[in-house]
Protein backbone atom coordinates (compact mmCIF):
# COMPACT_ATOMS: atom_id res chain seq x y z
CA UNK A 1 0.00 0.00 0.00
CA UNK A 2 2.82 2.40 0.76
CA UNK A 3 4.28 1.82 -2.72
CA UNK A 4 1.20 3.27 -4.37
CA UNK A 5 1.08 6.11 -1.84
CA UNK A 6 4.60 7.08 -2.91
CA UNK A 7 3.93 6.60 -6.61
CA UNK A 8 0.25 6.33 -7.65
CA UNK A 9 1.34 5.12 -11.11
CA UNK A 10 2.92 2.03 -9.53
CA UNK A 11 0.69 -0.56 -11.17
CA UNK A 12 2.47 -3.49 -9.54
CA UNK A 13 1.53 -2.22 -6.09
CA UNK A 14 -2.14 -2.20 -7.02
CA UNK A 15 -1.79 -5.64 -8.61
CA UNK A 16 -0.24 -7.07 -5.45
CA UNK A 17 -2.98 -5.48 -3.35
CA UNK A 18 -5.53 -7.15 -5.63
CA UNK A 19 -3.90 -10.54 -5.00
CA UNK A 20 -3.94 -9.89 -1.26
CA UNK A 21 -7.63 -8.97 -1.40
CA UNK A 22 -8.38 -12.18 -3.31
CA UNK A 23 -6.59 -14.23 -0.65
CA UNK A 24 -8.68 -12.45 1.98
CA UNK A 25 -11.85 -13.38 0.10
CA UNK A 26 -12.58 -9.73 -0.73
CA UNK A 27 -13.34 -10.09 -4.44
CA UNK A 28 -15.06 -6.71 -4.86
CA UNK A 29 -12.05 -4.93 -3.36
CA UNK A 30 -9.71 -7.03 -5.51
CA UNK A 31 -11.56 -5.94 -8.64
CA UNK A 32 -11.11 -2.29 -7.64
CA UNK A 33 -7.38 -2.86 -7.15
CA UNK A 34 -7.10 -4.64 -10.50
CA UNK A 35 -8.79 -1.72 -12.20
CA UNK A 36 -6.42 0.71 -10.49
CA UNK A 37 -3.50 -1.41 -11.70
CA UNK A 38 -4.80 -1.43 -15.26
CA UNK A 39 -5.43 2.32 -15.16
CA UNK A 40 -1.89 2.88 -13.86
CA UNK A 41 -0.23 1.16 -16.79
CA UNK A 42 -0.43 -2.60 -16.29
CA UNK A 43 0.04 -4.15 -19.73
CA UNK A 44 1.05 -7.78 -19.16
CA UNK A 45 -2.42 -9.13 -19.78
CA UNK A 46 -1.08 -12.33 -21.33
CA UNK A 47 0.46 -13.20 -17.95
CA UNK A 48 -2.92 -13.13 -16.21
CA UNK A 49 -3.57 -16.63 -17.57
CA UNK A 50 -0.38 -17.88 -15.91
CA UNK A 51 -0.91 -16.40 -12.45
CA UNK A 52 -2.20 -19.21 -10.23
CA UNK A 53 -3.57 -16.67 -7.75
CA UNK A 54 -6.17 -15.73 -10.35
CA UNK A 55 -7.59 -19.21 -10.98
CA UNK A 56 -10.95 -18.48 -9.34
CA UNK A 57 -11.45 -14.87 -10.42
CA UNK A 58 -10.77 -15.74 -14.06
CA UNK A 59 -14.28 -17.25 -14.07
CA UNK A 60 -15.88 -14.05 -12.74
CA UNK A 61 -17.68 -12.13 -15.47
CA UNK A 62 -16.77 -8.83 -13.82
CA UNK A 63 -13.08 -9.71 -14.07
CA UNK A 64 -13.45 -10.92 -17.65
CA UNK A 65 -15.17 -7.67 -18.61
CA UNK A 66 -12.59 -5.58 -16.75
CA UNK A 67 -9.69 -7.26 -18.53
CA UNK A 68 -11.42 -6.90 -21.90
CA UNK A 69 -12.01 -3.20 -21.30
CA UNK A 70 -8.34 -2.43 -20.61
CA UNK A 71 -6.57 -5.05 -22.70
CA UNK A 72 -7.22 -3.22 -25.94
CA UNK A 73 -6.01 0.17 -24.70
Amino acid sequence: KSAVEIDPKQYLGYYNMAILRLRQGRTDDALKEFEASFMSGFSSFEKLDQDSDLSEIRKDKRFIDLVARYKGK
Side-chain angles (χ1 to χ4, degrees), residues 1 6 11-12 18-19 22 24 29-30 35 37-39 41 52 54 56-57 62 65:
K1 188 170 185 168
I6 293 169
Y11 67 84
L12 192 54
I19 299 300
L22 285 175
Q24 294 172 331
D29 292 330
E35 184 162 25
S37 178
F38 300 163
M39 289 174 60
S52 61
L54 305 180
E56 287 302 314
I57 201 166
R62 298 171 299 167
D65 292 346

Side-chain angles (χ1 to χ4, degrees), residues 4-39:
V4 295
E5 289 172 354
I6 293 169
D7 181 4
K9 292 293 183 187
Q10 182 56 263
Y11 67 84
L12 192 54
Y14 291 112
Y15 185 88
N16 288 332
M17 285 298 294
I19 299 300
L20 175 63
R21 297 298 177 234
L22 285 175
R23 290 181 179 176
Q24 294 172 331
R26 296 169 54 186
T27 304
D28 291 341
D29 292 330
L31 288 166
K32 291 175 188 173
E33 297 291 348
F34 279 120
E35 184 162 25
S37 178
F38 300 163
M39 289 174 60

